[in-house]
Amino acid sequence: MCYIQFFDRESCTYTYLLADLDQREAVLIDPVIELAERDAQTIRELDLTLKYGMNTHMHADHVTGTGLLKKLLPGCKSLIARASGAQADVYVSDGDYVEFGKHKLDVLATPGHTSGCVTYVCHEQGIAFTGDTLLIRGCGRTDFQEGNSKVLYDSVHKKIFTLPNNFLIFPAHDYKGQTSTTVGEEKVYNPRLTKPLEEFVKIMENLNLPYPKMI
């Protein structure tokens, strides 16, 4: 599998390109509209066919690049969780999987940051793309519409923390320059999600975060 991690400095968003190098088929996770040209150029240079531009959830801090990618790379389809309520060509739900070439990503419903958050897991490679549900030493905020701290806590503990400890976690954002973590690390060192549920809910209620500048 080909794997490339892109970064958007403006919204601190990670975009992930995954591809089967035998069949030259690829997917792009959480693209940003301002950088869709960059993504499309990389895909052309690597002689790949983009099957899906896919999102882990509807983003409040940037506009997805899937719509523009469909114009830049004809044949590409947009993909998102059905529970998101967003428009897309392909909808997925918990228990589904996304195929590209000989590889596949299992879909885990991990709501809490939004109702439509999902985590994409490749068991073959031992990797998980958690969107905003689980960040490196953190998690997505729950004070927006559809946010629910208890639901997010359950999503992480029942869906993500039950993956093997050595699985790599790739989030949708990081604000400190960290690029990945592991399930085992977050189960020990995450300052929020290692707390009991009641304490976690209080922490989330008192974050008092400003709105993202690009909301």
Side-chain angles (χ1 to χ4, degrees):
M1 182 191 287
C2 169
Y3 156 80
I4 298 175
Q5 183 181 46
F6 296 108
F7 185 64
D8 171 35
R9 294 186 183 92
E10 196 67 24
S11 62
C12 294
T13 298
Y14 286 124
T15 297
Y16 301 95
L17 175 65
L18 308 177
D20 182 328
L21 292 179
D22 293 325
Q23 300 183 33
R24 317 305 300 179
E25 198 167 51
V27 296
L28 193 66
I29 301 173
D30 288 334
V32 177
I33 191 169
E34 288 85 0
L35 296 170
E37 295 273 3
R38 171 205 65 186
D39 301 341
Q41 181 63 25
T42 300
I43 290 165
R44 292 190 199 100
E45 289 174 352
L46 295 178
D47 191 27
L48 301 172
T49 298
L50 185 62
K51 184 175 183 179
Y52 297 124
M54 50 198 288
N55 288 279
T56 52
H57 64 294
M58 279 203 303
H59 306 276
D61 57 353
H62 71 267
V63 176
T64 179
T66 51
L68 181 52
L69 283 164
K70 287 171 60 177
K71 297 177 181 177
L72 296 171
L73 300 169
C76 166
K77 293 183 178 180
S78 57
L79 181 150
I80 200 167
R82 185 175 298 279
S84 70
Q87 291 186 344
D89 299 313
V90 178
Y91 295 104
V92 293
S93 301
D94 187 64
D96 291 342
Y97 57 87
V98 178
E99 290 184 299
F100 56 104
K102 63 179 178 292
H103 303 293
K104 75 170 186 174
L105 298 170
D106 289 322
V107 179
L108 305 181
T110 50
H113 174 62
T114 73
S115 298
C117 285
V118 294
T119 291
Y120 299 113
V121 181
C122 181
H123 289 273
E124 166 200 24
Q125 301 286 334
I127 54 179
F129 300 90
T130 56
D132 283 12
T133 300
L134 179 63
L135 304 177
I136 301 170
R137 306 298 190 266
C139 64
R141 62 196 296 169
T142 56
D143 57 334
F144 289 160
Q145 186 178 6
E146 297 186 352
N148 186 304
S149 298
K150 183 181 184 304
V151 171
L152 187 147
Y153 188 92
D154 287 345
S155 291
V156 172
H157 281 265
K158 294 178 180 178
K159 294 292 185 69
I160 300 173
F161 280 179
T162 55
L163 295 170
N165 286 337
N166 66 318
F167 270 40
L168 287 170
I169 297 293
F170 293 105
H173 301 283
D174 189 80
Y175 305 95
K176 298 180 180 179
Q178 302 166 108
T179 57
S180 66
T181 182
T182 66
V183 171
E185 284 180 61
E186 295 308 312
K187 286 165 69 172
V188 174
Y189 299 115
N190 192 294
R192 299 177 188 173
L193 288 155
T194 51
K195 302 291 192 294
L197 173 59
E198 294 76 13
E199 188 174 347
F200 172 77
V201 171
K202 289 180 181 178
I203 290 171
M204 299 304 289
E205 287 175 347
N206 292 286
L207 289 179
N208 297 315
L209 297 171
Y211 271 26
K213 60 183 177 180
M214 295 182 67
I215 192 167

